[in-house]
Amino acid sequence: MGERKGLNHNQKMLRPQREIFVGFLLLCVLVLGLMGTQALRRADQALYDEQSRWLRALAPGALPQDVVVIGLDELAYESFPEPYALWHRYLGELFTGLAAARPAVVGVAAPLPVRSYDFLIKGVDAPLLEGVRKLRATTPLVLGQPMGLERHLRPIAPELLQAAGNQALSSLVLCEDRDGIVRRINQRRCIDEDRNPSLADLMARVLGRESSARGLIDYTVGGPIEYTSLQTVLAWLRQGQAAELEKLVRGRVVVVASLLPNETRYRLPVPLAAWDPENRSAPAALVHVQALRSLLGRGWVDPVETTLSWPLALAMALLWFGRNGWIKTLVLAGVAGLITAISVLGLWRGWYLPLGSLLGVALLAFLGRMAWESVRHYREKQLLRTAFAGHVSPQVMRAILRGSLQPETTGRRCRVTILFADIRGFTARSAQSSPENLIELLNAYYAEMGVAIHEHGGAIDKFIGDGLMATFGVPQPLDAPERNALEAAQDMLVRLGRLNGELKAQGHAPLEIAIGIHVGEVVAGYVGTRRRRDFTVIGDPVNTASQLEHMGKTLGYPVICSHEVAQAVGQAGGLVDLGMQATKGRADVHVWGWNPPLNQRMDAKGAA
């Protein structure tokens, strides 16, 4: 039998551990299902943007040599009389000057004519074609074209493409992520033809820098992008200051960028333009400049492979284990801080850890265990409430469920009001009734008395045959426990009157009770063995209250209270001073009595 009990105990101990382990396995399945979902991807992207802004502001990546940007800007747009489609001579003049200055490579991030305009103005194409031929003869040239119709690149005039070379054509197309922000140069998502690389890729390839197709633009490298206006460059060339242009571009990477006000702007993680430092949107040309900076610097930012990010996510799920509390909260904060630091350091070194996913999994594990513990505690409390609701008073039960009553405590001193109640003449009544009838009568009686006591904030300490002991002020604190006890006593007599009416209808004799109330300092706590303990109060005020209850039989008052109780309520409520009364084995006690109104008194005695 002892072995069986021990086995059952071990099974009960192992059951929660099995549930925790099963919960962890379910969490792991959920984590694997969530990794790569849109919600976590959005979190990764948002944190990537935030880290990029932070690093760009505090520790921007350095470039051996930055990209030179020559801008076709609003100043030129307002100064030149021709529309942009007929800027042939200005662009030809620029390309001729760049050919003499000999940069390392020139990229044109601006729309170029889709056809010849000689039919409109004789000889208008010649300056542009001549400038392209001269530039191509001295410097690698890359022409970028935006999106045209039906997901194809915008066409370029055949004469111009022949002058630049078929291998010079590249794409300026940008594809936003699902949240509308550009984080990568990836043509396949939004353009049908992928034979033309992006402007940044092709320019980097000319310089001998290869790149993968899956990386993110490194927005942390370089500072705000500055540019030199086309107007300024043309002024140098026309005023015989070609040396200024050579000083600016010699041996460097140059991008001729369209910054015109009618250019489509794209949302970015960070502001790029030095002339508009608060604006996180920019034309496509600046995005390609930043992409080119990335390739000339550390390269694309490579996300961590799935084969590594998934094990890391499962490691974050280990936060499921361990009870929630301050220590686990600190562990969560420490883990979050460590992962964030690793992610920031990785981004600074050119790779990206999916921070949003990992932090999301850690938080999911933490909150999931918290929810599991809450459900388990709720179930335990419900089972405890169901199992012991009839064995302890509601006040004691609430204190147990709150955790304010601990069986291991040694007790505490407190001021408590004690109420004793006893049925008069119950011994004689017992001799004339069967045990079954007596039990039925006591259950009906205690049911009414219990309601009266509980409704006034009291707790039934114990039932003693035909008597009961109740406390007011412990375990539930009360503002005026003496008043609560007196009001409970009055309610008990009212309820007794109603019960006597039912007994009279059944042909039974009515009940009469005596109540004693006293207040004083006691020790409250658990007493008993480790297998069985009861919450009670111990002290001389308990004995005094019991003696006051016995006085009711001789003094003719159903309720007797001590002078301390009467003082606490200001002798109000019809209390009668009964003076000093003798007690057994102790000093005389000053007591007060209370009688219910006449109609209640008659009902309590069973009179009509």
Side-chain angles (χ1 to χ4, degrees):
M1 181 67 71
E3 293 178 357
R4 183 177 298 174
K5 288 182 178 179
L7 182 60
N8 291 338
H9 177 71
N10 291 335
Q11 289 175 342
K12 291 178 180 178
M13 293 292 290
L14 290 174
R15 189 178 299 121
Q17 297 177 10
R18 285 200 303 268
E19 291 179 356
I20 291 173
F21 186 70
V22 170
F24 175 70
L25 293 180
L26 293 176
L27 175 66
C28 290
V29 172
L30 179 61
V31 167
L32 293 178
L34 288 175
M35 290 296 289
T37 59
Q38 190 61 31
L40 290 183
R41 189 178 293 115
R42 286 285 181 91
D44 292 333
Q45 292 170 343
L47 289 175
Y48 171 76
D49 296 348
E50 191 62 37
Q51 291 176 81
S52 296
R53 287 192 289 272
W54 188 79
L55 283 174
R56 188 178 179 86
L58 298 181
L63 287 169
Q65 196 175 61
D66 204 352
V67 177
V68 175
V69 180
I70 297 176
L72 312 182
D73 58 2
E74 191 171 4
L75 176 63
Y77 187 79
E78 294 175 349
S79 301
F80 299 152
E82 301 90 345
Y84 173 75
L86 297 177
W87 282 13
H88 295 61
R89 69 186 180 95
Y90 307 117
L91 293 177
E93 192 176 353
L94 170 65
F95 293 157
T96 300
L98 287 174
R102 293 183 178 274
V105 61
V106 173
V108 180
L112 293 172
V114 298
R115 57 167 299 173
S116 169
Y117 283 92
D118 273 356
F119 76 94
L120 185 64
I121 304 174
K122 189 64 176 176
V124 71
D125 294 338
L128 176 58
L129 293 174
E130 183 65 21
V132 169
R133 292 190 187 101
K134 288 182 178 179
L135 180 58
R136 182 189 175 193
T138 61
T139 303
L141 176 63
V142 177
L143 304 181
Q145 282 294 88
M147 176 80 78
L149 299 176
E150 298 181 352
R151 294 168 58 89
H152 293 286
L153 287 182
R154 185 173 181 267
I156 193 170
E159 300 86 353
L160 186 58
L161 185 59
Q162 183 180 6
N166 291 330
Q167 300 302 316
L169 188 60
S170 66
S171 169
L172 293 177
V173 176
L174 294 176
C175 302
E176 301 99 332
D177 287 330
R178 293 186 184 276
D179 60 355
I181 296 178
V182 177
R183 299 183 180 88
R184 66 186 77 229
I185 302 291
N186 185 350
Q187 312 302 317
R188 297 180 182 178
R189 287 183 50 224
C190 56
I191 190 169
D192 287 339
E193 51 185 314
D194 58 358
R195 62 180 179 272
N196 296 115
S198 71
L199 176 82
D201 273 317
L202 187 53
M203 291 182 70
R205 198 177 301 167
V206 168
L207 296 171
R209 301 294 297 267
E210 295 293 334
S211 65
S212 65
R214 63 184 293 272
L216 301 167
I217 298 173
D218 187 356
Y219 284 101
T220 69
V221 69
I225 297 176
E226 305 275 0
Y227 79 93
T228 302
S229 173
L230 173 62
Q231 286 285 75
T232 301
V233 173
L234 295 182
W236 288 339
L237 296 174
R238 293 167 181 173
Q239 297 170 10
Q241 300 177 3
E244 293 293 333
L245 179 59
E246 184 176 355
K247 179 181 177 182
L248 177 67
V249 304
R250 183 82 171 189
R252 299 181 67 178
V253 177
V254 177
V255 174
V256 178
S258 175
L259 306 178
L260 298 173
N262 58 351
E263 285 289 329
T264 302
R265 303 182 74 87
Y266 296 86
R267 290 173 56 206
L268 309 175
V270 301
L272 287 181
W275 59 94
D276 196 3
E278 302 300 324
N279 194 345
R280 284 168 50 191
S281 65
L286 289 192
V287 183
H288 281 273
V289 169
Q290 187 62 35
L292 184 57
R293 282 171 146 190
S294 302
L295 295 175
L296 297 178
R298 295 184 291 253
W300 299 130
V301 175
D302 289 322
V304 171
E305 296 287 346
T306 302
T307 52
L308 178 60
S309 61
W310 282 19
L312 286 174
L314 294 178
M316 294 297 99
L318 292 175
L319 281 168
W320 168 268
F321 293 103
R323 290 182 178 273
N324 287 0
W326 284 109
I327 294 179
K328 190 172 178 181
T329 303
L330 292 175
V331 170
L332 174 65
V335 169
L338 177 62
I339 292 297
T340 301
I342 292 174
S343 179
V344 172
L345 178 62
L347 182 57
W348 190 64
R349 298 295 298 272
W351 51 270
Y352 181 63
L353 196 64
L355 182 60
S357 296
L358 297 182
L359 292 182
V361 170
L363 189 61
L364 177 64
F366 182 84
L367 296 179
R369 180 58 186 272
M370 181 183 294
W372 183 85
E373 290 283 351
S374 298
V375 171
R376 187 174 66 85
H377 288 162
Y378 176 77
R379 286 169 49 199
E380 289 178 352
K381 287 182 178 181
Q382 290 300 104
L383 289 173
L384 188 63
R385 191 188 304 274
T386 302
F388 294 98
H391 297 272
V392 296
S393 70
Q395 287 76 10
V396 175
M397 176 61 69
R398 284 194 290 268
I400 292 174
L401 296 178
R402 287 196 307 268
S404 57
L405 289 184
Q406 299 295 331
E408 291 76 14
T409 57
T410 57
R412 58 186 178 89
R413 288 186 172 273
C414 53
R415 185 175 175 83
V416 177
T417 301
I418 302 105
L419 180 150
F420 270 90
D422 184 67
I423 301 176
R424 295 181 183 177
F426 189 77
T427 303
R429 193 185 192 107
S430 301
Q432 301 170 4
S433 301
S434 65
E436 292 81 6
N437 290 336
L438 289 176
I439 292 296
E440 184 180 355
L441 176 62
L442 284 176
N443 285 338
Y445 164 73
Y446 283 137
E448 292 291 341
M449 301 303 104
V451 171
I453 291 170
H454 295 155
E455 286 188 350
H456 292 86
I460 296 178
D461 184 279
K462 61 176 66 70
F463 296 109
I464 313 164
D466 62 324
L468 65 84
M469 171 183 165
T471 58
F472 293 81
V474 102
Q476 175 184 346
L478 298 171
D479 294 333
E482 299 89 351
R483 182 176 298 280
N484 287 64
L486 280 170
E487 291 175 351
Q490 296 172 12
D491 195 10
M492 290 167 68
L493 293 176
V494 171
R495 291 178 178 275
L496 179 65
R498 290 202 293 263
L499 177 60
N500 281 337
E502 295 176 7
L503 293 176
K504 180 182 178 182
Q506 297 170 8
H508 299 300
L511 299 176
E512 292 186 35
I513 63 173
I515 300 173
I517 304 173
H518 184 46
V519 62
E521 188 177 81
V522 298
V523 176
Y526 281 91
V527 296
T529 67
R530 294 191 63 86
R531 291 183 177 271
R532 169 64 189 274
R533 296 188 179 192
D534 290 324
F535 181 81
T536 189
V537 295
I538 300 173
D540 188 65
V542 177
N543 298 326
T544 302
S546 178
Q547 295 242 9
L548 295 182
E549 177 258 310
H550 287 294
M551 288 183 189
K553 301 175 182 178
T554 57
L555 295 178
Y557 286 85
V559 179
I560 301 294
C561 68
S562 64
H563 184 66
E564 292 81 357
V565 173
Q567 268 191 322
V569 299
Q571 293 93 33
L575 291 174
V576 178
D577 190 349
L578 302 178
M580 301 297 292
Q581 299 292 329
T583 58
K584 295 180 180 179
R586 61 190 65 244
D588 293 349
V589 179
H590 186 180
V591 301
W592 295 66
W594 182 83
N595 249 326
L598 180 60
N599 58 336
Q600 291 184 18
R601 215 176 310 162
M602 293 175 66
D603 287 342
K605 292 181 179 180

